[in-house]
């Protein structure tokens, strides 16, 4: 086989050093910091410690009964014991198209839907389908930890555009324009945001969408928290607000957050037919169809009503006001009122340089370490989201735990 031609071995030979046990591309991937914090909290709990976990990004509610019942029935149907089309069960793709029309007003055909293993696979597929080596992707920070990794794995270059609490963690057209180069291919957009809870007003979405369309820049817009908006905040879908972006736009979504279905692993991507075909080809070699029982559960979820999410939204709304008030009661911590999703993202840099239980911290990473070790409270430091100086606290946990956890932080950071 040493005589392979240019279309054989040589064509596949990259710049790799054959002595490496792990490829350079995969060795560069960091573990998910949010999952690591959650794992640490669960490990301490398993040792009998009373840990309060603000780390996990998942609703504490069970999946609605009707969804579980549909999955149960699906287990007994032999059709679900077999491979099914990579792009998803036809009835689920149809139901996702209908649900999208109902919820965001975006008109898509079932053929423009690819069902994925969670929103995470939709993110990975989207960047794999769009990025050539060296293409730049604008990523507003604070960002969800997975985005830069998926971009880099796809050969793209994540270009981080920083925001802070002064701007409500919302990026502006001026900032995006300053970061744009001739290599800019994609803008990553997410509203409501993980990790900040920021929700972009319609006018800002319109301005950003027009800017992207005007420069022929693709938009990958993550709408997984579409139903979790509070107060006066409203969700708007960019390709609906700015129809000109639709031909270069991929929407990422899923059932995880809306229906308390994180463990079922069903998400989807919507986009122009050529992108969906390309991503389906990729997925056909990587994971094939999403588990049929999970797809049947997702079908029950998206074709049902939104009663369960209304109940969860009311609970999250109460908790966001509670956590906002409690965190702002701690000297050295400042928190904006989150407008969406289920995360608070307070600034903790006011705690730097002060001594707590004999330890002094200079970074949010060190403060998060102190919180888990001394107060048994798990939070994710801002470093994980490209924004040091902050903590992310998920308030998708029970009210009592929420109060207990923030009280422990208050106790720790008041020198107690
Ligand atoms: C912004 C955002 N997008 C996508 C996802 C992916 O969710 P899943 O893969 O569980 O559907 C998450 C999960 O935390 C998220 O926060």
């Amino acid at each position: 086989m040493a005589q392979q031609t240019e279309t054989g071995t040589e064509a596949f030979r990259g710049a790799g050093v054959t002595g490496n046990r792990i490829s350079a591309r995969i060795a560069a991937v960091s573990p998910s910091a949010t999952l690591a914090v959650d794992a640490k909290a669960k490990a301490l709990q398993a040792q009998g410690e009373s840990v309060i976990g603000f780390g996990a990004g998942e609703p504490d509610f069970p999946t609605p009964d009707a969804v579980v019942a549909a999955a149960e029935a699906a287990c007994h149907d032999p059709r679900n014991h077999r491979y099914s089309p990579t792009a998803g069960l036809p009835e689920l793709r149809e139901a996702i198209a209908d649900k999208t029309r109902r919820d965001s007003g975006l008109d898509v055909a079932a053929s423009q839907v690819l069902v994925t293993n969670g929103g995470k696979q939709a993110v990975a597929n989207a960047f794999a389908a769009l990025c050539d080596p060296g293409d730049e992707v604008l990523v507003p920070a604070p960002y969800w930890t997975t985005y830069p990794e998926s971009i880099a794995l796809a050969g793209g270059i994540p270009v981080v555009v920083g925001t802070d609490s002064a701007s409500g963690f919302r990026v502006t057209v001026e900032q995006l324009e300053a970061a744009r180069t001739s290599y800019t291919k994609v803008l990553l957009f997410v509203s409501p945001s993980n990790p900040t809870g920021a929700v972009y007003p319609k006018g800002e979405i319109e301005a950003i969408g027009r800017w992207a369309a005007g420069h022929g820049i693709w938009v990958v817009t993550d709408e997984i928290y579409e139903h979790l908006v509070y107060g006066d905040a409203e969700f708007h879908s960019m390709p609906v607000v700015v129809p000109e972006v639709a031909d270069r736009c991929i929407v990422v979504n899923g059932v995880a957050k809306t229906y308390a279905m994180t463990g079922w692993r069903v998400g989807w991507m919507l986009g122009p037919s050529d992108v969906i075909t390309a991503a389906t080809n990729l997925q056909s070699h990587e994971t094939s169809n999403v588990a049929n029982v999970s797809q049947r559960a997702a079908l029950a979820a998206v074709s049902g009503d939104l009663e369960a999410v209304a109940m969860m939204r009311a609970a999250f709304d109460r908790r966001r006001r509670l956590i906002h008030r409690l965190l702002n009661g701690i000297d050295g911590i400042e928190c904006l009122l989150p407008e969406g999703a289920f995360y608070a993202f307070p600034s903790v840099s006011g705690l730097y340089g002060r001594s707590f239980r004999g330890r002094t911290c200079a970074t949010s990473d060190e403060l998060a370490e102190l919180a888990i070790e001394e107060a048994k409270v798990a939070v994710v430091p801002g470093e994980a989201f490209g924004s040091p100086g902050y903590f992310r606290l998920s308030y998708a946990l029970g009210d009592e735990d929420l109060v207990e956890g923030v009280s422990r932080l208050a106790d720790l950071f008041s020198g107690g």
Side-chain angles (χ1 to χ4, degrees):
M1 294 301 283
Q3 296 303 311
Q4 288 271 353
T5 64
E6 188 51 27
T7 54
T9 306
E10 289 305 322
F12 284 93
R13 185 166 289 143
V17 179
T18 49
N20 287 347
R21 284 172 62 84
I22 308 296
S23 73
R25 196 167 50 91
I26 302 303
V29 177
S30 331
S32 161
T34 47
L35 293 183
V37 167
D38 196 44
K40 190 165 183 177
K42 285 182 176 143
L44 281 170
Q45 268 160 351
Q47 290 165 22
E49 298 276 9
S50 144
V51 178
I52 306 286
F54 289 103
E58 56 183 350
D60 58 319
F61 299 98
T63 300
D65 287 344
V67 174
V68 177
E72 226 173 307
C75 284
H76 296 290
D77 181 346
R79 283 181 308 157
N80 297 318
H81 303 175
R82 308 281 173 248
Y83 290 129
S84 59
T86 295
L89 297 172
E91 47 277 61
L92 177 58
R93 297 174 80 196
E94 199 69 62
I96 289 169
D98 290 346
K99 165 251 164 291
T100 305
R101 238 171 273 125
R102 175 193 70 186
D103 295 346
S104 76
L106 184 66
D107 202 7
V108 283
S111 60
Q112 289 175 271
V113 178
L114 168 57
V115 179
T116 56
N117 192 57
K120 229 173 218 185
Q121 190 178 23
V123 169
N125 281 351
F127 291 118
L130 294 182
C131 292
D132 272 318
D135 284 343
E136 293 180 356
V137 181
L138 300 179
V139 182
Y143 50 70
W144 180 46
T145 47
T146 290
Y147 300 135
E149 300 290 351
S150 317
I151 294 164
L153 272 170
I157 300 173
V159 175
V160 175
V161 183
T163 69
D164 58 21
S165 51
S167 63
F169 299 112
R170 301 192 308 273
V171 76
T172 62
V173 166
E174 291 68 34
Q175 284 178 292
L176 295 173
E177 180 57 21
R180 184 173 67 86
T181 71
S182 55
Y183 299 104
T184 307
K185 178 159 184 190
V186 189
L187 164 68
L188 182 279
F189 185 76
V190 52
S191 172
S193 155
N194 172 7
T196 65
V199 179
Y200 284 71
K202 191 175 179 189
E204 293 180 21
I205 296 176
E206 184 173 355
I208 292 171
R210 284 195 193 293
W211 169 84
H215 293 289
I217 292 173
W218 285 78
V219 177
V220 173
T221 178
D222 187 335
E223 302 188 347
I224 204 148
Y225 295 100
E226 65 179 329
H227 290 291
L228 298 177
V229 290
Y230 316 106
D232 294 335
E234 288 176 357
F235 165 76
H236 291 282
S237 178
M238 190 179 282
V240 175
V241 176
V242 184
E244 308 92 276
V245 300
D247 187 47
R248 287 175 196 250
C249 182
I250 297 175
V251 176
V252 171
N253 206 333
V255 292
K257 319 287 175 172
T258 304
Y259 303 99
M261 290 180 69
T262 46
W264 298 81
R265 310 310 303 135
V266 183
W268 54 87
M269 59 190 282
L270 316 172
S273 302
D274 54 346
V275 174
I276 295 300
T277 302
T280 305
N281 289 343
L282 169 68
Q283 189 167 305
S284 75
H285 293 293
E286 292 199 322
T287 54
S288 311
N289 63 280
V290 171
N292 294 323
V293 170
S294 285
Q295 290 199 66
R296 296 276 169 201
L299 176 59
V302 298
S303 46
D305 61 30
L306 293 168
E307 209 178 295
V309 67
M311 182 277 292
M312 288 194 288
R313 185 170 50 237
F316 293 148
D317 188 12
R318 191 180 64 244
R319 293 174 193 169
R320 86 179 165 118
R321 284 181 273 118
L322 179 64
I323 200 167
H324 172 253
R325 182 168 56 75
L326 295 176
L327 286 170
N328 279 321
I330 302 175
D331 181 33
I333 294 189
E334 282 176 28
C335 186
L336 292 181
L337 182 63
E339 298 184 301
F342 40 61
Y343 306 100
F345 202 70
S347 158
V348 293
S349 54
L351 299 170
Y352 291 175
R354 289 159 52 176
S355 173
F356 306 109
R357 306 210 181 148
R359 285 165 65 175
T360 305
C361 299
T363 64
S364 39
D365 234 344
E366 290 172 13
L367 283 166
E369 196 72 24
L370 184 74
I372 186 81
E373 285 172 12
E374 292 291 334
K376 303 290 179 279
V377 172
V379 299
V380 188
E383 282 83 348
F385 312 103
S387 297
Y390 298 90
F391 278 173
R392 188 193 78 172
L393 292 88
S394 160
Y395 50 87
L397 77 177
D399 295 42
E400 272 177 35
D401 277 357
L402 191 159
V403 173
E404 167 67 17
V406 183
S407 307
R408 289 189 197 179
L409 291 179
D411 195 35
L412 171 65
F413 294 133
S414 65

